[in-house]
Amino acid sequence: MGLIQAAIGAIGGTLADQWQDFYSVPAGLAPTAALFAAVPQGQNAGRGSNTKGSDGVITNGSRIVVPEGYGLVLMQEGAITGFAAQAGAYQWNSEAQDSQSIFAGNDIVSSLVTTSWERFKFGGRPSAQQRAYFVTLKELPNNRFGTQSEIYWDDAYMNAQVGAITRGTYTLKIVDPILFIKAFVPAAYLEPGRVFDFTDIDNDAAAQLFNEVVGSLAPAFSMYTNDPMKQNRITRLQQDSIGFAKSLSAAVEQNYQWRSGRGLEIAATAIIAIEYDETTRELLRNVQRADALAGQRGNSNLQASVAAGFESAGENAGVGGLIGMGMAAGTTGVGALQQPTQVPAQVPGPQDPPAKEPGEDPMAKLTQMKQMLDAGLITQADYDAAKAKLLGL
């Protein structure tokens, strides 16, 4: 009991203009600030100068304006007595019969906060004096991660262990402000004038999060690249910031219980750089080369290359050049990619292709045989034997 919702609206509303003094979010906050005490605003809805400091203490009759993107938390002796996640104007009165303790709203915060409220709420009747804090419900940017040496994970697409040095940033969201304060924020930040900022280098709690993210990168990469829905490609990592954020969020939840134990989750990521080790780079080149030569695309590439070679040889040396080109194709590995069957000299059987006639054009005959193969009139073995005979292999 204690909060009375005076009106729904942001700090610039007409009701706030009528209030000569009220508490709200301090001016000049860094976009990465997560938790801080409420401060009194001057006249004219805070557009005047604030000439006095604040320890965030409110009493019966105090008015509080909650802007969009923030949650209000009231505390007494370290226990939470009130919470409001709905933007608007409120008045604190511990004796009012029509007052409420919690205004959770209808979004994602609602169900999570309601559970934590029942777990951590104040057991007695709140007094007339409270401490008021604001929690940022927006995404908190510029949280960095990076590795000094390679991390390794198993990659299904590469069918091997791969390694890389990586760095980037992620955004955080406080999805359960009550749990966040009770389970994670050090008591030192619940003092006048302190601001809990995840990017503060002197914030040991934030440093712990950095270490946990780095420790979760390898399993996050593994989750992402081994997910069939992602086609198992490590090359998509830098293009799919939301998809990788889900994998990283799942990894830190699995390892460190960020959401269920601290009320935090990773909303988005940006991989600035990912530098694969030499073994992985070579493996990636081999896999890409194999991809290019595999299946129908590979056959098309190979046929185009052989055809271009035959054409060039024919222009330079006529039919003799064509036959020589065919022999070179068999000895340099191009023929090996097609895996031809070498047929030893033997007495022609009923299934053997007709022997080469004197003066016969080998390219025309080979084209004809290829058409018959494509039409299913002869087998691959028949075609390979005819090609070997026509090209003199």
Side-chain angles (χ1 to χ4, degrees):
M1 305 292 287
L3 282 174
I4 302 172
Q5 191 171 40
I8 297 176
I11 191 169
T14 57
L15 182 62
D17 286 335
Q18 295 171 5
W19 287 350
Q20 293 186 354
D21 62 270
F22 58 91
Y23 289 79
S24 191
V25 174
L29 277 175
T32 51
L35 175 70
F36 39 86
V39 297
Q41 304 291 326
Q43 295 185 6
N44 194 21
R47 288 185 285 273
S49 60
N50 181 17
T51 59
K52 61 180 181 179
S54 170
D55 58 2
V57 175
I58 63 172
T59 57
N60 279 342
S62 293
R63 288 88 172 245
I64 309 166
V65 171
V66 180
E68 291 284 355
Y70 295 93
L72 170 68
V73 178
L74 302 180
M75 301 186 70
Q76 175 181 326
E77 300 173 357
I80 294 177
T81 58
F83 176 78
Q86 294 173 274
Y90 297 85
Q91 185 173 359
W92 170 258
N93 191 324
S94 61
E95 303 299 327
Q97 296 299 314
D98 59 343
S99 63
Q100 295 179 221
S101 297
I102 181 170
F103 293 85
N106 298 315
D107 57 9
I108 189 174
V109 172
S110 177
S111 60
L112 297 173
V113 164
T114 301
T115 300
S116 292
W117 171 260
E118 293 300 323
R119 178 182 173 188
F120 296 112
K121 68 181 178 180
F122 185 71
R125 184 173 184 81
S127 68
Q129 182 172 296
Q130 306 288 307
R131 287 188 180 274
Y133 300 91
F134 283 102
V135 179
T136 303
L137 303 180
K138 307 173 185 179
E139 289 187 31
L140 295 163
N142 204 33
N143 300 280
R144 301 178 184 275
F145 65 82
T147 60
Q148 295 182 346
S149 58
E150 289 86 354
I151 56 174
Y152 293 91
W153 68 94
D154 293 327
D155 188 283
Y157 179 71
M158 306 281 276
N159 195 29
Q161 186 181 73
V162 298
I165 296 174
T166 185
R167 58 188 176 88
T169 62
Y170 62 93
T171 63
L172 269 176
K173 284 201 74 174
I174 301 172
V175 295
D176 189 337
I178 293 177
L179 183 61
F180 169 67
I181 291 174
K182 296 297 292 185
F184 188 69
V185 175
Y189 287 94
L190 299 176
E191 295 294 333
R194 297 297 302 271
V195 176
F196 186 98
D197 191 325
F198 286 107
T199 63
D200 183 359
I201 60 175
D202 296 323
N203 186 338
D204 291 336
Q208 177 64 28
L209 294 183
F210 170 85
N211 293 333
E212 291 176 359
V213 168
V214 172
S216 300
L217 284 174
F221 283 137
S222 182
M223 285 183 187
Y224 185 90
T225 57
N226 291 300
D227 184 350
M229 299 299 294
K230 304 295 188 301
Q231 299 181 347
N232 299 325
R233 300 293 182 110
I234 62 176
T235 51
R236 291 193 61 193
L237 282 168
Q238 290 177 271
Q239 306 167 15
D240 188 9
S241 60
I242 301 300
F244 179 67
K246 292 179 180 178
S247 296
L248 184 56
S249 184
V252 296
E253 176 64 20
Q254 179 179 325
N255 295 333
Y256 304 104
Q257 293 76 53
W258 276 27
R259 184 183 179 92
S260 58
R262 299 168 178 172
L264 297 170
E265 73 175 10
I266 292 174
T269 60
I271 298 179
I272 298 174
I274 180 167
E275 302 171 8
Y276 300 110
D277 63 12
E278 181 58 36
T279 302
T280 301
R281 288 197 297 270
E282 180 61 28
L283 183 61
L284 186 58
R285 284 192 290 267
N286 290 339
V287 170
Q288 290 171 334
R289 189 180 301 116
D291 279 350
L293 296 176
Q296 184 176 359
R297 180 190 298 178
N299 288 335
S300 298
N301 290 340
L302 184 59
Q303 291 168 8
S305 298
V306 173
F310 279 134
E311 181 179 355
S312 175
E315 292 175 353
N316 294 330
V319 175
L322 290 171
I323 295 176
M325 179 62 188
M327 294 180 65
T331 58
T332 57
V334 177
L337 289 175
Q338 295 284 38
Q339 296 181 345
T341 302
Q342 299 297 331
V343 180
Q346 59 182 1
V347 178
Q351 299 298 325
D352 291 335
K356 174 183 174 183
E357 296 295 334
E360 183 178 23
D361 183 356
M363 287 301 294
K365 187 63 178 179
L366 192 58
T367 301
Q368 180 184 6
M369 296 298 292
K370 183 62 171 65
Q371 292 172 347
M372 294 174 66
L373 174 62
D374 293 340
L377 299 177
I378 62 174
T379 66
Q380 181 67 47
D382 295 335
Y383 173 77
D384 291 339
K387 181 174 71 172
K389 183 173 295 185
L390 286 167
L391 296 180
L393 300 179

